Amino acid sequence: MAMAKHDDEFLEFASARTSHLFRTAYLMSGDWHQAEDLVQETLGKVFAVWGRKRRIENPDAYAQTVLTRTFISAKRKRSSREMPSSQIPEREFHEADATLRMTLLAGLAELPAKDRAVLVLRFWEDRSVEEVAHIMGASSGAVRTRTNRALAKLRGTLGDRLPDLALI
């Protein structure tokens, strides 16, 4: 009886959070399939500790932390550099939005994993410096420094393309 309740609670949590975790994973990885794998691995790790949920104050934040750390860890492995497809599945967007989106995704793809993770968490997830520091296991100062350096790299990568795209 207790096990069924445990499973039902986890299924409810996973159903509610999967799409949000997927969006974050996709922005970090830039690859649809890798994002799916990251979400699946994250949910597997969260499920493994779900029975001890009482010790987890905020399951949403815990899942976000697991996702981010799993992404960074996967990027350290040589095998993670393998890309099964060079094309992102087509979706319906306005032309200006699609061009801007693809330019930003290409710029993010050129950044190291930790830089991408910081920018996605800070600006896509709209998390505070302290939250990002906690998720990444770093100090607030390190997150600020990494954010500034990552933004400078992204601006350097995008060059003059971004202002033109923003006006379209």
Short mmCIF file of all heavy atoms in Angstrom, two decimals, residues 58-120:
data_model
loop_
_atom_site.label_atom_id
_atom_site.label_comp_id
_atom_site.label_asym_id
_atom_site.label_seq_id
_atom_site.Cartn_x
_atom_site.Cartn_y
_atom_site.Cartn_z
N ASN A 58 12.72 20.58 -1.36
CA ASN A 58 12.10 21.08 -2.57
C ASN A 58 12.40 20.12 -3.72
O ASN A 58 13.46 20.22 -4.35
CB ASN A 58 12.62 22.49 -2.87
CG ASN A 58 11.93 23.13 -4.04
OD1 ASN A 58 11.27 22.48 -4.84
ND2 ASN A 58 12.10 24.43 -4.15
N PRO A 59 11.51 19.17 -4.02
CA PRO A 59 11.79 18.19 -5.09
C PRO A 59 12.04 18.83 -6.45
O PRO A 59 12.85 18.33 -7.23
CB PRO A 59 10.52 17.33 -5.12
CG PRO A 59 9.88 17.52 -3.80
CD PRO A 59 10.24 18.91 -3.35
N ASP A 60 11.39 19.96 -6.75
CA ASP A 60 11.61 20.64 -8.04
C ASP A 60 13.05 21.12 -8.14
O ASP A 60 13.72 20.93 -9.16
CB ASP A 60 10.66 21.83 -8.19
CG ASP A 60 9.21 21.42 -8.28
OD1 ASP A 60 8.94 20.24 -8.59
OD2 ASP A 60 8.34 22.27 -8.00
N ALA A 61 13.53 21.77 -7.09
CA ALA A 61 14.91 22.26 -7.08
C ALA A 61 15.90 21.11 -7.10
O ALA A 61 16.94 21.18 -7.76
CB ALA A 61 15.14 23.14 -5.85
N TYR A 62 15.58 20.03 -6.39
CA TYR A 62 16.45 18.87 -6.37
C TYR A 62 16.57 18.28 -7.79
O TYR A 62 17.67 17.97 -8.24
CB TYR A 62 15.92 17.81 -5.40
CG TYR A 62 16.79 16.58 -5.33
CD1 TYR A 62 17.99 16.60 -4.64
CD2 TYR A 62 16.41 15.42 -5.97
CE1 TYR A 62 18.80 15.47 -4.59
CE2 TYR A 62 17.21 14.29 -5.93
CZ TYR A 62 18.40 14.31 -5.24
OH TYR A 62 19.20 13.20 -5.20
N ALA A 63 15.46 18.15 -8.49
CA ALA A 63 15.48 17.62 -9.85
C ALA A 63 16.28 18.53 -10.77
O ALA A 63 17.04 18.05 -11.63
CB ALA A 63 14.05 17.45 -10.37
N GLN A 64 16.15 19.84 -10.61
CA GLN A 64 16.91 20.79 -11.42
C GLN A 64 18.41 20.64 -11.16
O GLN A 64 19.22 20.66 -12.08
CB GLN A 64 16.47 22.22 -11.10
CG GLN A 64 17.09 23.26 -11.99
CD GLN A 64 16.53 23.18 -13.38
OE1 GLN A 64 15.33 23.16 -13.57
NE2 GLN A 64 17.39 23.12 -14.38
N THR A 65 18.77 20.46 -9.90
CA THR A 65 20.17 20.27 -9.54
C THR A 65 20.71 18.98 -10.16
O THR A 65 21.80 18.96 -10.73
CB THR A 65 20.33 20.24 -8.00
OG1 THR A 65 19.87 21.48 -7.48
CG2 THR A 65 21.77 20.01 -7.60
N VAL A 66 19.94 17.91 -10.06
CA VAL A 66 20.36 16.62 -10.63
C VAL A 66 20.52 16.76 -12.14
O VAL A 66 21.51 16.28 -12.71
CB VAL A 66 19.34 15.51 -10.28
CG1 VAL A 66 19.63 14.24 -11.06
CG2 VAL A 66 19.36 15.22 -8.78
N LEU A 67 19.60 17.43 -12.80
CA LEU A 67 19.68 17.62 -14.25
C LEU A 67 20.95 18.37 -14.63
O LEU A 67 21.69 17.95 -15.53
CB LEU A 67 18.45 18.38 -14.76
CG LEU A 67 18.48 18.75 -16.25
CD1 LEU A 67 18.24 17.50 -17.10
CD2 LEU A 67 17.44 19.79 -16.56
N THR A 68 21.21 19.47 -13.95
CA THR A 68 22.38 20.30 -14.27
C THR A 68 23.67 19.52 -14.05
O THR A 68 24.56 19.51 -14.90
CB THR A 68 22.38 21.58 -13.42
OG1 THR A 68 21.17 22.29 -13.68
CG2 THR A 68 23.56 22.46 -13.76
N ARG A 69 23.76 18.85 -12.93
CA ARG A 69 24.99 18.09 -12.64
C ARG A 69 25.15 16.89 -13.57
O ARG A 69 26.27 16.55 -13.95
CB ARG A 69 25.00 17.67 -11.18
CG ARG A 69 25.17 18.89 -10.27
CD ARG A 69 25.22 18.54 -8.82
NE ARG A 69 25.36 19.76 -8.03
CZ ARG A 69 25.31 19.78 -6.71
NH1 ARG A 69 25.12 18.67 -6.03
NH2 ARG A 69 25.45 20.92 -6.07
N THR A 70 24.07 16.28 -13.96
CA THR A 70 24.14 15.16 -14.91
C THR A 70 24.62 15.66 -16.27
O THR A 70 25.44 15.02 -16.92
CB THR A 70 22.76 14.48 -15.03
OG1 THR A 70 22.37 14.00 -13.75
CG2 THR A 70 22.79 13.32 -16.01
N PHE A 71 24.12 16.82 -16.69
CA PHE A 71 24.55 17.41 -17.96
C PHE A 71 26.05 17.71 -17.93
O PHE A 71 26.78 17.34 -18.85
CB PHE A 71 23.76 18.70 -18.24
CG PHE A 71 24.36 19.53 -19.33
CD1 PHE A 71 24.29 19.12 -20.66
CD2 PHE A 71 24.99 20.72 -19.04
CE1 PHE A 71 24.85 19.88 -21.67
CE2 PHE A 71 25.55 21.49 -20.04
CZ PHE A 71 25.49 21.07 -21.36
N ILE A 72 26.51 18.37 -16.88
CA ILE A 72 27.93 18.73 -16.79
C ILE A 72 28.79 17.47 -16.74
O ILE A 72 29.82 17.39 -17.40
CB ILE A 72 28.17 19.64 -15.58
CG1 ILE A 72 27.52 21.02 -15.83
CG2 ILE A 72 29.66 19.81 -15.30
CD1 ILE A 72 27.48 21.92 -14.62
N SER A 73 28.36 16.49 -15.99
CA SER A 73 29.10 15.24 -15.89
C SER A 73 29.17 14.53 -17.24
O SER A 73 30.21 14.00 -17.63
CB SER A 73 28.44 14.34 -14.85
OG SER A 73 29.10 13.10 -14.78
N ALA A 74 28.07 14.52 -17.97
CA ALA A 74 28.05 13.86 -19.28
C ALA A 74 28.99 14.54 -20.26
O ALA A 74 29.60 13.89 -21.11
CB ALA A 74 26.63 13.84 -19.84
N LYS A 75 29.13 15.85 -20.15
CA LYS A 75 30.00 16.60 -21.05
C LYS A 75 31.47 16.29 -20.78
O LYS A 75 32.31 16.49 -21.64
CB LYS A 75 29.75 18.11 -20.93
CG LYS A 75 28.53 18.54 -21.66
CD LYS A 75 28.70 18.15 -23.08
CE LYS A 75 27.67 18.64 -24.01
NZ LYS A 75 27.82 18.09 -25.33
N ARG A 76 31.78 15.81 -19.59
CA ARG A 76 33.17 15.46 -19.28
C ARG A 76 33.59 14.16 -19.96
O ARG A 76 34.78 13.93 -20.17
CB ARG A 76 33.33 15.31 -17.76
CG ARG A 76 33.27 16.61 -17.04
CD ARG A 76 33.56 16.40 -15.57
NE ARG A 76 33.28 17.62 -14.85
CZ ARG A 76 32.55 17.69 -13.76
NH1 ARG A 76 32.05 16.62 -13.22
NH2 ARG A 76 32.35 18.84 -13.18
N LYS A 77 32.64 13.33 -20.27
CA LYS A 77 32.95 12.03 -20.88
C LYS A 77 33.19 12.20 -22.37
O LYS A 77 32.48 12.93 -23.05
CB LYS A 77 31.78 11.06 -20.65
CG LYS A 77 31.51 10.77 -19.21
CD LYS A 77 30.28 9.89 -19.09
CE LYS A 77 29.91 9.70 -17.64
NZ LYS A 77 28.66 8.95 -17.50
N ARG A 78 34.15 11.52 -22.89
CA ARG A 78 34.44 11.60 -24.32
C ARG A 78 33.27 11.14 -25.18
O ARG A 78 32.98 11.70 -26.22
CB ARG A 78 35.66 10.77 -24.67
CG ARG A 78 36.94 11.37 -24.22
CD ARG A 78 38.09 10.48 -24.66
NE ARG A 78 39.32 11.04 -24.16
CZ ARG A 78 40.24 11.58 -24.94
NH1 ARG A 78 40.08 11.57 -26.23
NH2 ARG A 78 41.33 12.09 -24.43
N SER A 79 32.60 10.09 -24.74
CA SER A 79 31.52 9.53 -25.56
C SER A 79 30.35 10.49 -25.71
O SER A 79 29.55 10.34 -26.61
CB SER A 79 31.03 8.21 -24.95
OG SER A 79 30.50 8.44 -23.66
N SER A 80 30.26 11.49 -24.84
CA SER A 80 29.12 12.40 -24.93
C SER A 80 29.26 13.39 -26.09
O SER A 80 28.34 14.10 -26.41
CB SER A 80 28.96 13.17 -23.62
OG SER A 80 30.01 14.10 -23.46
N ARG A 81 30.43 13.43 -26.72
CA ARG A 81 30.63 14.34 -27.84
C ARG A 81 30.01 13.80 -29.13
O ARG A 81 29.96 14.48 -30.13
CB ARG A 81 32.11 14.61 -28.04
CG ARG A 81 32.76 15.24 -26.81
CD ARG A 81 34.12 15.77 -27.13
NE ARG A 81 34.99 15.96 -26.01
CZ ARG A 81 34.80 16.76 -24.98
NH1 ARG A 81 33.71 17.43 -24.90
NH2 ARG A 81 35.68 16.89 -24.02
N GLU A 82 29.57 12.59 -29.10
CA GLU A 82 28.95 11.98 -30.27
C GLU A 82 27.56 12.56 -30.48
O GLU A 82 26.76 12.64 -29.56
CB GLU A 82 28.86 10.47 -30.03
CG GLU A 82 28.42 9.69 -31.22
CD GLU A 82 28.44 8.21 -30.91
OE1 GLU A 82 29.43 7.75 -30.32
OE2 GLU A 82 27.46 7.55 -31.25
N MET A 83 27.28 12.97 -31.68
CA MET A 83 25.98 13.57 -32.00
C MET A 83 25.26 12.68 -33.01
O MET A 83 25.74 12.51 -34.13
CB MET A 83 26.17 14.97 -32.60
CG MET A 83 26.86 15.96 -31.68
SD MET A 83 25.87 16.39 -30.27
CE MET A 83 24.73 17.51 -31.02
N PRO A 84 24.10 12.13 -32.66
CA PRO A 84 23.40 11.24 -33.58
C PRO A 84 22.80 11.94 -34.78
O PRO A 84 22.54 11.33 -35.79
CB PRO A 84 22.31 10.61 -32.71
CG PRO A 84 22.12 11.56 -31.59
CD PRO A 84 23.44 12.24 -31.38
N SER A 85 22.56 13.24 -34.67
CA SER A 85 21.94 13.96 -35.77
C SER A 85 22.45 15.39 -35.77
O SER A 85 22.66 15.98 -34.72
CB SER A 85 20.42 13.97 -35.60
OG SER A 85 19.83 14.79 -36.58
N SER A 86 22.62 15.95 -36.94
CA SER A 86 23.10 17.32 -37.02
C SER A 86 21.95 18.32 -37.21
O SER A 86 22.18 19.51 -37.30
CB SER A 86 24.10 17.47 -38.16
OG SER A 86 23.45 17.20 -39.39
N GLN A 87 20.73 17.82 -37.29
CA GLN A 87 19.59 18.70 -37.51
C GLN A 87 18.63 18.63 -36.34
O GLN A 87 18.36 17.56 -35.80
CB GLN A 87 18.85 18.31 -38.78
CG GLN A 87 19.70 18.49 -40.02
CD GLN A 87 18.91 18.08 -41.25
OE1 GLN A 87 17.73 17.78 -41.19
NE2 GLN A 87 19.57 18.06 -42.39
N ILE A 88 18.11 19.78 -36.00
CA ILE A 88 17.10 19.85 -34.95
C ILE A 88 15.75 19.59 -35.62
O ILE A 88 15.49 20.09 -36.72
CB ILE A 88 17.10 21.25 -34.30
CG1 ILE A 88 18.44 21.47 -33.61
CG2 ILE A 88 15.96 21.40 -33.32
CD1 ILE A 88 18.63 22.85 -33.06
N PRO A 89 14.88 18.79 -34.99
CA PRO A 89 13.57 18.55 -35.60
C PRO A 89 12.85 19.85 -35.91
O PRO A 89 12.92 20.80 -35.12
CB PRO A 89 12.82 17.76 -34.53
CG PRO A 89 13.89 17.17 -33.69
CD PRO A 89 15.04 18.12 -33.73
N GLU A 90 12.20 19.90 -37.04
CA GLU A 90 11.54 21.11 -37.47
C GLU A 90 10.31 21.39 -36.62
O GLU A 90 9.56 20.50 -36.27
CB GLU A 90 11.14 20.99 -38.94
CG GLU A 90 12.35 20.76 -39.81
CD GLU A 90 12.31 21.60 -41.05
OE1 GLU A 90 11.39 22.40 -41.20
OE2 GLU A 90 13.22 21.43 -41.86
N ARG A 91 10.11 22.66 -36.31
CA ARG A 91 8.94 23.11 -35.58
C ARG A 91 8.44 24.38 -36.25
O ARG A 91 9.19 25.08 -36.91
CB ARG A 91 9.28 23.41 -34.13
CG ARG A 91 9.65 22.16 -33.37
CD ARG A 91 9.76 22.51 -31.90
NE ARG A 91 9.70 21.29 -31.14
CZ ARG A 91 8.70 20.96 -30.35
NH1 ARG A 91 7.69 21.76 -30.17
NH2 ARG A 91 8.71 19.84 -29.70
N GLU A 92 7.21 24.71 -36.01
CA GLU A 92 6.63 25.88 -36.62
C GLU A 92 6.96 27.12 -35.77
O GLU A 92 6.60 27.21 -34.61
CB GLU A 92 5.12 25.71 -36.70
CG GLU A 92 4.47 26.68 -37.63
CD GLU A 92 3.02 26.35 -37.82
OE1 GLU A 92 2.69 25.16 -37.98
OE2 GLU A 92 2.21 27.29 -37.80
N PHE A 93 7.67 28.08 -36.37
CA PHE A 93 8.03 29.33 -35.71
C PHE A 93 7.86 30.47 -36.71
O PHE A 93 7.87 30.25 -37.92
CB PHE A 93 9.49 29.33 -35.25
CG PHE A 93 9.79 28.38 -34.15
CD1 PHE A 93 10.51 27.22 -34.39
CD2 PHE A 93 9.36 28.63 -32.86
CE1 PHE A 93 10.80 26.34 -33.37
CE2 PHE A 93 9.65 27.75 -31.83
CZ PHE A 93 10.36 26.61 -32.09
N HIS A 94 7.77 31.66 -36.20
CA HIS A 94 7.83 32.81 -37.09
C HIS A 94 9.26 32.93 -37.56
O HIS A 94 10.19 32.61 -36.83
CB HIS A 94 7.41 34.09 -36.34
CG HIS A 94 6.00 34.02 -35.84
ND1 HIS A 94 4.92 34.05 -36.67
CD2 HIS A 94 5.51 33.91 -34.58
CE1 HIS A 94 3.81 33.97 -35.96
NE2 HIS A 94 4.15 33.88 -34.68
N GLU A 95 9.46 33.42 -38.77
CA GLU A 95 10.81 33.45 -39.35
C GLU A 95 11.78 34.22 -38.47
O GLU A 95 12.88 33.76 -38.22
CB GLU A 95 10.77 34.06 -40.75
CG GLU A 95 12.12 33.99 -41.43
CD GLU A 95 12.05 34.48 -42.85
OE1 GLU A 95 11.00 34.35 -43.49
OE2 GLU A 95 13.07 35.00 -43.32
N ALA A 96 11.42 35.39 -37.99
CA ALA A 96 12.32 36.18 -37.16
C ALA A 96 12.64 35.44 -35.86
O ALA A 96 13.77 35.41 -35.42
CB ALA A 96 11.71 37.54 -36.85
N ASP A 97 11.63 34.83 -35.24
CA ASP A 97 11.85 34.08 -34.02
C ASP A 97 12.77 32.90 -34.27
O ASP A 97 13.65 32.61 -33.48
CB ASP A 97 10.52 33.57 -33.45
CG ASP A 97 9.64 34.70 -32.93
OD1 ASP A 97 10.15 35.81 -32.72
OD2 ASP A 97 8.44 34.44 -32.74
N ALA A 98 12.57 32.21 -35.38
CA ALA A 98 13.38 31.03 -35.69
C ALA A 98 14.83 31.43 -35.93
O ALA A 98 15.75 30.76 -35.46
CB ALA A 98 12.81 30.32 -36.91
N THR A 99 15.05 32.51 -36.65
CA THR A 99 16.41 32.95 -36.93
C THR A 99 17.12 33.35 -35.65
O THR A 99 18.26 32.96 -35.41
CB THR A 99 16.39 34.13 -37.93
OG1 THR A 99 15.67 33.73 -39.09
CG2 THR A 99 17.79 34.55 -38.30
N LEU A 100 16.44 34.12 -34.82
CA LEU A 100 17.02 34.53 -33.54
C LEU A 100 17.29 33.31 -32.66
O LEU A 100 18.36 33.18 -32.09
CB LEU A 100 16.08 35.51 -32.83
CG LEU A 100 16.50 35.98 -31.44
CD1 LEU A 100 17.84 36.70 -31.50
CD2 LEU A 100 15.43 36.90 -30.86
N ARG A 101 16.32 32.42 -32.60
CA ARG A 101 16.46 31.21 -31.78
C ARG A 101 17.63 30.37 -32.24
O ARG A 101 18.44 29.90 -31.44
CB ARG A 101 15.16 30.42 -31.84
CG ARG A 101 15.15 29.18 -30.98
CD ARG A 101 13.81 28.46 -31.17
NE ARG A 101 13.64 27.42 -30.22
CZ ARG A 101 13.13 27.57 -28.99
NH1 ARG A 101 12.75 28.74 -28.58
NH2 ARG A 101 13.02 26.55 -28.18
N MET A 102 17.74 30.14 -33.54
CA MET A 102 18.83 29.31 -34.08
C MET A 102 20.19 29.98 -33.85
O MET A 102 21.17 29.31 -33.56
CB MET A 102 18.61 29.03 -35.57
CG MET A 102 17.35 28.21 -35.85
SD MET A 102 17.26 26.66 -34.93
CE MET A 102 18.55 25.75 -35.73
N THR A 103 20.24 31.29 -33.97
CA THR A 103 21.49 32.01 -33.72
C THR A 103 21.90 31.86 -32.26
O THR A 103 23.07 31.59 -31.96
CB THR A 103 21.34 33.50 -34.09
OG1 THR A 103 20.98 33.58 -35.48
CG2 THR A 103 22.62 34.26 -33.85
N LEU A 104 20.94 32.02 -31.36
CA LEU A 104 21.25 31.87 -29.94
C LEU A 104 21.65 30.43 -29.60
O LEU A 104 22.59 30.21 -28.83
CB LEU A 104 20.07 32.31 -29.08
CG LEU A 104 19.84 33.82 -29.03
CD1 LEU A 104 18.53 34.13 -28.30
CD2 LEU A 104 20.99 34.53 -28.35
N LEU A 105 20.94 29.45 -30.15
CA LEU A 105 21.29 28.05 -29.91
C LEU A 105 22.68 27.73 -30.44
O LEU A 105 23.45 27.01 -29.80
CB LEU A 105 20.25 27.12 -30.52
CG LEU A 105 18.91 27.04 -29.78
CD1 LEU A 105 17.91 26.20 -30.57
CD2 LEU A 105 19.09 26.48 -28.39
N ALA A 106 23.00 28.27 -31.60
CA ALA A 106 24.34 28.03 -32.17
C ALA A 106 25.41 28.68 -31.28
O ALA A 106 26.47 28.09 -31.04
CB ALA A 106 24.42 28.60 -33.58
N GLY A 107 25.12 29.88 -30.79
CA GLY A 107 26.06 30.54 -29.88
C GLY A 107 26.23 29.77 -28.59
O GLY A 107 27.35 29.60 -28.09
N LEU A 108 25.13 29.28 -28.02
CA LEU A 108 25.21 28.48 -26.79
C LEU A 108 25.98 27.19 -27.02
O LEU A 108 26.74 26.75 -26.15
CB LEU A 108 23.80 28.14 -26.27
CG LEU A 108 23.06 29.24 -25.53
CD1 LEU A 108 21.63 28.80 -25.24
CD2 LEU A 108 23.77 29.62 -24.24
N ALA A 109 25.82 26.58 -28.19
CA ALA A 109 26.48 25.31 -28.49
C ALA A 109 28.00 25.45 -28.51
O ALA A 109 28.71 24.47 -28.29
CB ALA A 109 25.99 24.76 -29.82
N GLU A 110 28.49 26.65 -28.77
CA GLU A 110 29.93 26.86 -28.82
C GLU A 110 30.54 27.09 -27.45
O GLU A 110 31.76 27.11 -27.32
CB GLU A 110 30.25 28.03 -29.75
CG GLU A 110 29.92 27.72 -31.20
CD GLU A 110 30.29 28.84 -32.14
OE1 GLU A 110 31.22 29.61 -31.82
OE2 GLU A 110 29.65 28.95 -33.20
N LEU A 111 29.71 27.26 -26.44
CA LEU A 111 30.22 27.50 -25.09
C LEU A 111 30.51 26.18 -24.37
O LEU A 111 29.85 25.17 -24.63
CB LEU A 111 29.19 28.29 -24.27
CG LEU A 111 28.86 29.70 -24.75
CD1 LEU A 111 27.75 30.28 -23.88
CD2 LEU A 111 30.08 30.59 -24.71
N PRO A 112 31.45 26.20 -23.43
CA PRO A 112 31.67 25.01 -22.59
C PRO A 112 30.41 24.70 -21.77
O PRO A 112 29.57 25.57 -21.53
CB PRO A 112 32.82 25.43 -21.67
CG PRO A 112 33.49 26.57 -22.36
CD PRO A 112 32.41 27.26 -23.16
N ALA A 113 30.29 23.46 -21.34
CA ALA A 113 29.09 22.98 -20.65
C ALA A 113 28.73 23.83 -19.43
O ALA A 113 27.56 24.19 -19.24
CB ALA A 113 29.27 21.52 -20.23
N LYS A 114 29.68 24.15 -18.59
CA LYS A 114 29.37 24.93 -17.38
C LYS A 114 28.89 26.33 -17.73
O LYS A 114 28.00 26.87 -17.08
CB LYS A 114 30.57 25.00 -16.45
CG LYS A 114 30.83 23.70 -15.73
CD LYS A 114 31.96 23.83 -14.73
CE LYS A 114 32.18 22.53 -13.99
NZ LYS A 114 33.25 22.63 -13.00
N ASP A 115 29.48 26.93 -18.77
CA ASP A 115 29.04 28.27 -19.19
C ASP A 115 27.61 28.21 -19.70
O ASP A 115 26.79 29.07 -19.38
CB ASP A 115 29.95 28.82 -20.30
CG ASP A 115 31.33 29.20 -19.78
OD1 ASP A 115 31.53 29.20 -18.55
OD2 ASP A 115 32.21 29.52 -20.60
N ARG A 116 27.29 27.19 -20.51
CA ARG A 116 25.93 27.03 -21.00
C ARG A 116 24.95 26.84 -19.85
O ARG A 116 23.89 27.45 -19.81
CB ARG A 116 25.82 25.80 -21.92
CG ARG A 116 25.95 26.15 -23.36
CD ARG A 116 25.76 24.94 -24.20
NE ARG A 116 27.01 24.19 -24.11
CZ ARG A 116 27.18 22.96 -24.54
NH1 ARG A 116 26.18 22.31 -25.07
NH2 ARG A 116 28.33 22.37 -24.44
N ALA A 117 25.34 25.99 -18.90
CA ALA A 117 24.47 25.71 -17.75
C ALA A 117 24.19 26.99 -16.97
O ALA A 117 23.05 27.26 -16.60
CB ALA A 117 25.10 24.66 -16.85
N VAL A 118 25.21 27.80 -16.73
CA VAL A 118 25.03 29.05 -15.98
C VAL A 118 24.09 29.98 -16.72
O VAL A 118 23.15 30.55 -16.12
CB VAL A 118 26.39 29.74 -15.71
CG1 VAL A 118 26.21 31.18 -15.30
CG2 VAL A 118 27.16 29.00 -14.64
N LEU A 119 24.29 30.16 -18.02
CA LEU A 119 23.44 31.08 -18.78
C LEU A 119 21.99 30.60 -18.85
O LEU A 119 21.06 31.39 -18.70
CB LEU A 119 23.99 31.30 -20.19
CG LEU A 119 25.32 32.06 -20.26
CD1 LEU A 119 25.74 32.23 -21.72
CD2 LEU A 119 25.25 33.40 -19.55
N VAL A 120 21.81 29.31 -19.06
CA VAL A 120 20.44 28.77 -19.12
C VAL A 120 19.75 28.93 -17.76
O VAL A 120 18.59 29.37 -17.69
CB VAL A 120 20.44 27.29 -19.58
CG1 VAL A 120 19.08 26.66 -19.38
CG2 VAL A 120 20.85 27.20 -21.04
#
